[in-house]
Amino acid sequence: MYYVKAPAKINLTLDVLHKRPDGYHEVEMIMTTVDLADRIGLEVREDGAIHILSVDRFVPNDHRNLAYQAAKILKEMYNVKLGVSIKIEKNIPVAAGLAGGSSDAAATLRGLNTIWNLGLTLDELAQVATKIGSDVAFCVYGGTALATGRGEKIQKLPSPANCWVILAKPTLGVSTADIYGNLKINDITHPNTEQMIQAIKKKDFELMCASVGNVLEDVTLKLYPEVAVLKEQMQKFGADAVLMSGSGPTVFGLVNQESRVQRVYNGLRGFCDEVYAVRLIGDRDTLA
Ligand SMILES: C[C@@](CO)(OP(=O)(O)O)[C@H](O)COP(=O)(O)OP(=O)(O)OC[C@H]1O[C@@H](n2ccc(N)nc2=O)[C@H](O)[C@@H]1O
Ligand SMILES: Nc1ncnc2c1ncn2[C@@H]1O[C@H](COP(=O)(O)OP(=O)(O)O)[C@@H](O)[C@H]1O
């Protein structure tokens, strides 16, 4: 079995510029990877079939799985005769705003490139990724990046100031399409993306904390008030910056002092079953 790591992402910023004629939203967002990861095991099949093995009850075991779709598209585009068995060891909460499915698909592309001997570059894999979902191209590279278009155009950024990330996932899943669908374009307070880029380049933790922002947050908080409560708790227990990731409902807190990580983590455990204390990975080379 050949294993590939599929880390979760958080959105440090998420801005929507306008709604496009194709129904997608034109976005400008800064994403970075954290060290909470699924593990994807791949085994070549001589019969040409694609099989998914996953025991998580929220993860589809068939063609609906994004890892399955990744293998199928890659196989068709490059006329590969071999097949693959894909084992998914799920650690990233599902439908959480952490791009777990997208990262599984991206890890499958990277892994198949190796075990099917395709010799493709990451840029070529990212091209394939855009056919699977908006977040998959980012996940092919990992690290930290500015994503534009519908999220598939990736410009690499350096690794931000290192810090801890506390993730808290309420027991509800949200549909990304629903959240975008409820966004009122004329009623948006835009985050300062340029300032966040400067904060990342200078590795300035305080400026990074002052620059976080996500225009989807208001939409999800209105639909699910328990997410707002979680945000307040995270702030109360002393995180330096608190924001919802993606379309939610996961809330993350940035903390740079190790002594405070345990306090925030323990405080939240009283409210929320799924809490994780992880590090920013931030650097794309760690995926290799
Ligand atoms: C909100 C974000 C932020 O990183 O992440 P998640 O919350 O899903 O992790 C992404 O934009 C999600 O990307 P992804 O989950 O890959 O979305 P897709 O499968 O491409 O699209 C799902 C649906 O979301 C809506 N959508 C998605 C991307 C976009 N730029 N505009 C949209 O309006 C569309 O209705 C689309 O049908
Ligand atoms: N490998 C996968 N892991 C998780 N979810 C998957 C996967 N493949 C398909 N899905 C479907 O995608 C949906 C969104 O999942 P996920 O990527 O975890 O969330 P998000 O888009 O919020 O980051 C889930 O409801 C699930 O049915």
Side-chain angles (χ1 to χ4, degrees):
M1 191 71 82
Y2 180 78
Y3 285 99
V4 202
K5 191 170 160 184
K9 62 84 185 163
I10 55 171
N11 298 80
L12 294 173
T13 63
L14 195 167
D15 198 6
V16 171
L17 307 182
H18 56 86
K19 189 168 179 190
R20 311 187 332 183
D22 65 3
Y24 282 90
H25 292 75
E26 192 73 13
V27 296
E28 195 170 72
M29 53 189 188
I30 296 176
M31 296 194 270
T32 191
T33 38
V34 298
D35 71 355
L36 172 67
D38 293 341
R39 204 158 87 111
I40 308 297
L42 301 172
E43 199 160 74
V44 170
R45 296 176 64 99
E46 300 296 333
D47 66 0
I50 300 168
H51 279 200
I52 296 279
L53 309 155
S54 165
V55 291
D56 189 299
R57 67 195 166 105
F58 298 114
V59 176
N61 236 326
D62 52 24
H63 65 277
R64 290 167 301 169
N65 197 297
L66 293 176
Y68 180 101
Q69 291 172 26
K72 184 159 184 284
I73 291 171
L74 195 64
K75 185 172 156 66
E76 283 168 3
M77 279 181 75
Y78 290 92
N79 202 13
V80 179
K81 300 288 172 242
L82 295 168
V84 64
S85 292
I86 306 171
K87 189 171 94 180
I88 299 179
E89 294 176 19
K90 202 79 198 156
N91 300 308
I92 305 171
V94 177
L98 298 171
S102 303
S103 195
D104 293 352
T108 301
L109 292 178
R110 285 195 306 271
L112 288 178
N113 189 36
T114 303
I115 65 167
W116 282 350
N117 253 315
L118 297 176
L120 301 172
T121 63
L122 283 187
D123 291 346
E124 286 168 323
L125 291 177
Q127 282 297 321
V128 181
T130 62
K131 298 182 193 306
I132 305 162
S134 308
D135 269 354
V136 186
F138 167 76
C139 296
V140 163
Y141 299 108
T144 306
L146 171 69
T148 55
R150 64 181 169 90
E152 88 287 14
K153 293 183 187 153
I154 305 301
Q155 285 167 254
K156 180 182 161 36
L157 288 170
S159 174
N162 210 336
C163 66
W164 290 85
V165 183
I166 315 293
L167 300 166
K169 152 87 175 41
T171 45
L172 58 107
V174 304
S175 148
T176 303
D178 273 2
I179 302 303
Y180 274 112
N182 277 290
L183 179 70
K184 309 245 180 318
I185 295 283
N186 298 323
D187 206 12
I188 285 179
T189 311
H190 298 279
N192 190 339
T193 309
E194 190 45 45
Q195 185 174 294
M196 178 59 85
I197 293 173
Q198 291 313 316
I200 290 169
K201 287 185 173 165
K202 290 181 193 154
K203 298 203 188 296
D204 183 333
F205 179 74
E206 279 73 31
L207 190 61
M208 174 164 76
C209 288
S211 312
V212 299
N214 176 353
V215 302
L216 299 180
E217 194 179 68
D218 278 349
V219 181
T220 308
L221 260 51
K222 278 205 186 86
L223 290 171
Y224 305 101
E226 54 268 57
V227 183
V229 174
L230 209 54
K231 258 199 91 175
E232 281 161 27
Q233 293 302 331
M234 186 94 83
Q235 265 145 359
K236 193 181 106 190
F237 289 117
D240 297 296
V242 180
L243 193 75
M244 188 185 80
S245 185
S247 53
T250 301
V251 169
F252 70 84
L254 304 179
V255 181
N256 71 343
Q257 275 175 29
E258 191 148 4
S259 57
R260 239 172 327 114
V261 173
Q262 201 65 33
R263 175 153 59 95
V264 180
Y265 178 84
N266 287 343
L268 281 159
R269 287 284 295 166
F271 287 88
C272 184
D273 288 341
E274 280 189 89
V275 186
Y276 308 85
V278 297
R279 304 282 296 183
L280 273 190
I281 302 180
D283 191 351
R284 66 161 70 166
D285 293 340
T286 49
L287 277 185

